[in-house]
Amino acid sequence: MTQFADKVALVTGAANGIGRSVAMMLAERGARVVVADMAPAGEQTAADIRAAGGQAEFVRCDVSDGASVAAMVKAAVTSFGRLDIAVNNAGIDPEVAPTATWEERTIDSILAVNVKGVFLCLKYEIEEMLRTGGGAIVNMGSAAGLVGVANKPAYTASKHAVVGLTKASALQYASQGIAINAVCPGAVDTQMLADNLGDPGLKDMVAANHPIGRVASANDIAEAVIWLCSAQASYVTGHALAVDGGLVIQ
């Protein structure tokens, strides 16, 4: 498929989970992809894309560090000449606990990656897209960015902030050819969910909380991201798209 032929895409947090699915899907549909992650496993994602006949480069990036993010965007342009699509997927959700028991350093780490990291990615991606005439950016939100989630105060706050960053940035750059949206998943069958649950038996309980009766696959979320990156979504900006099996409409 050549849906994204001649497009250059950047995906953060692409070593596994949703980010890997997005990177693989973009490549399958013709994009040249920069795979970014802190984890060396990101190189495997890039290698798998190349093995399937696509073009990809791996860049190690700490999204909470401005110099690292600037270098990531520069590497994308150096490798492939421009930047048309960016998916700011990198995020962490390390702990489930009541608000009063959270430690300051844990909150700082979540906000550094999930909020500052998205802001920094937007900053440098937008700069490059303005230089070349526009593009599409998708930030990874969460159902926790649309409603409150007990025992996840810092994560919930961080994902509400992602939705806010998305809306404010979309207003600023809509007239300059840059569409900026967010995808807000419910529970997704990834390692992050497994780590949060601890007990594999709890997955069925989580699935039952979603009216559709199951948790999402990473590909379910990737398909929504891909649509927002495409020409078919050219009239959509500033939107936080819930892809959550009906979770937040209850």
Side-chain angles (χ1 to χ4, degrees), residues 2-247:
T2 58
Q3 180 181 16
F4 296 107
D6 302 323
K7 300 294 186 183
V8 176
L10 167 64
V11 184
T12 67
N16 49 55
I18 295 169
R20 175 181 164 85
S21 289
V22 170
M24 297 292 293
M25 205 171 283
L26 283 165
E28 288 166 3
R29 299 181 190 193
R32 292 169 287 169
V33 182
V34 175
V35 173
D37 207 294
M38 283 283 286
E43 177 56 58
Q44 187 60 55
T45 300
D48 289 345
I49 289 171
R50 292 191 294 267
Q55 297 183 61
E57 297 291 339
F58 170 62
V59 176
R60 188 180 183 279
C61 179
D62 175 0
V63 297
S64 70
D65 179 77
S68 185
V69 174
M72 171 185 70
V73 173
K74 183 177 180 180
V77 175
T78 299
S79 294
F80 297 126
R82 57 186 293 120
L83 181 63
D84 303 292
I85 295 166
V87 180
N88 299 322
N89 169 74
I92 59 173
D93 183 13
E95 189 171 333
V96 178
T99 300
T101 68
W102 277 67
E103 295 190 13
E104 186 175 347
R105 65 175 180 271
T106 307
I107 295 170
D108 287 344
S109 67
I110 290 175
L111 297 180
V113 175
N114 294 5
V115 182
K116 182 183 176 184
V118 171
F119 169 77
L120 289 171
C121 286
L122 285 167
K123 171 180 169 59
Y124 290 104
E125 291 157 0
I126 289 168
E127 284 181 356
E128 181 56 33
M129 289 179 179
L130 289 173
R131 189 181 69 81
T132 54
I137 299 174
V138 179
N139 298 322
M140 191 54 62
S142 169
L146 303 175
V147 296
V149 180
N151 292 327
K152 300 179 77 168
Y155 182 78
T156 299
S158 75
K159 292 304 184 177
H160 274 70
V162 169
V163 171
L165 280 169
T166 299
K167 291 179 178 180
S169 302
L171 281 172
Q172 183 71 47
Y173 296 101
S175 65
Q176 297 176 73
I178 303 176
I180 305 172
N181 292 288
V183 166
C184 297
V188 185
D189 192 8
T190 62
Q191 188 59 50
M192 183 182 288
L193 177 64
D195 290 344
N196 264 197
L197 294 177
D199 179 359
L202 294 176
K203 182 179 170 182
D204 289 341
M205 181 186 72
V206 171
N209 288 335
H210 295 65
I212 206 168
R214 64 177 177 86
V215 300
S217 70
N219 280 348
D220 287 330
I221 309 306
E223 288 284 6
V225 172
I226 293 296
W227 179 71
L228 286 171
C229 293
S230 74
Q232 286 69 40
S234 63
Y235 203 62
V236 181
T237 197
H239 184 58
L241 176 62
V243 187
D244 66 347
L247 183 66

